[in-house]
Amino acid sequence: GIPKTLPALTQAQQIQKRAKRVGFDWNELEPVVAKLQEEIQEFLEADTAADRNAEAGDLLFAAVNLIRWLDIDPEMALRDTNERFRKRFSYIEAKAREQGKSVQELGFAKMDALWEEAKVTFAQEQSRRELS
């Protein structure tokens, strides 16, 4: 009954909600977190491409479960993160242009420093908007 045309994150959330309705869910947060940690370890230990693919899916499913457990919509959370990433990376690109460089010429360390600078800059802007 869950449309296969839904985004995969939404499918996972819906599957887990239905499992919860029939009692297939933990009663507390700790085992949900433990399952996610277990899936991370299994992903890191996977030997073949097929195993890594399967474990990546399990890892994402477990992450969606934790997010669902905390009453957060995983699709919206990921969309918000994508938008923050775009803004921060655009900041890096703008700073590179100001220096007359390409992003690749900055190197990872400089890009990472600008990433942290962007996080602070955008957080300060957000705080100012909230205070207004």
Side-chain angles (χ1 to χ4, degrees):
I2 297 171
K4 292 187 179 192
T5 57
L6 287 175
L9 286 174
T10 303
Q11 283 183 37
Q13 184 182 26
Q14 293 298 317
I15 290 166
Q16 293 168 8
K17 282 182 178 180
R18 287 188 182 196
K20 180 182 179 172
R21 279 198 303 256
V22 298
F24 190 62
D25 199 11
W26 284 288
N27 294 321
E28 54 189 30
L29 183 60
E30 187 177 303
V32 178
V33 173
K35 184 64 172 175
L36 180 59
Q37 292 168 332
E38 173 190 319
E39 295 300 345
I40 291 169
Q41 193 59 43
E42 289 176 4
F43 174 74
L44 294 173
E45 293 171 358
D47 293 331
T48 67
D51 287 345
R52 280 189 296 278
N53 186 67
E55 294 301 337
D58 291 351
L59 173 57
L60 287 169
F61 196 82
V64 169
N65 194 38
L66 173 60
I67 293 164
R68 175 199 58 85
W69 226 87
L70 298 172
D71 294 321
I72 298 168
D73 181 328
E75 190 72 30
M76 291 308 300
L78 185 56
R79 285 180 193 278
D80 291 346
T81 294
N82 288 344
E83 184 58 30
R84 282 192 310 275
F85 184 94
R86 285 183 186 111
K87 285 176 67 174
R88 292 172 187 168
F89 198 80
S90 292
Y91 182 92
I92 293 170
E93 291 172 320
K95 291 296 183 178
R97 280 191 302 276
E98 286 175 14
Q99 297 174 24
K101 296 181 177 181
S102 70
V103 174
Q104 295 88 341
E105 291 175 300
L106 293 177
F108 179 77
K110 181 63 177 174
M111 283 189 276
D112 193 45
L114 288 170
W115 179 269
E116 294 302 321
E117 186 178 302
K119 283 173 59 175
V120 170
T121 299
F122 294 133
Q124 289 170 343
E125 288 175 8
Q126 180 68 30
S127 292
R128 283 193 294 273
R129 281 193 299 273
E130 289 172 359
L131 293 174
S132 298

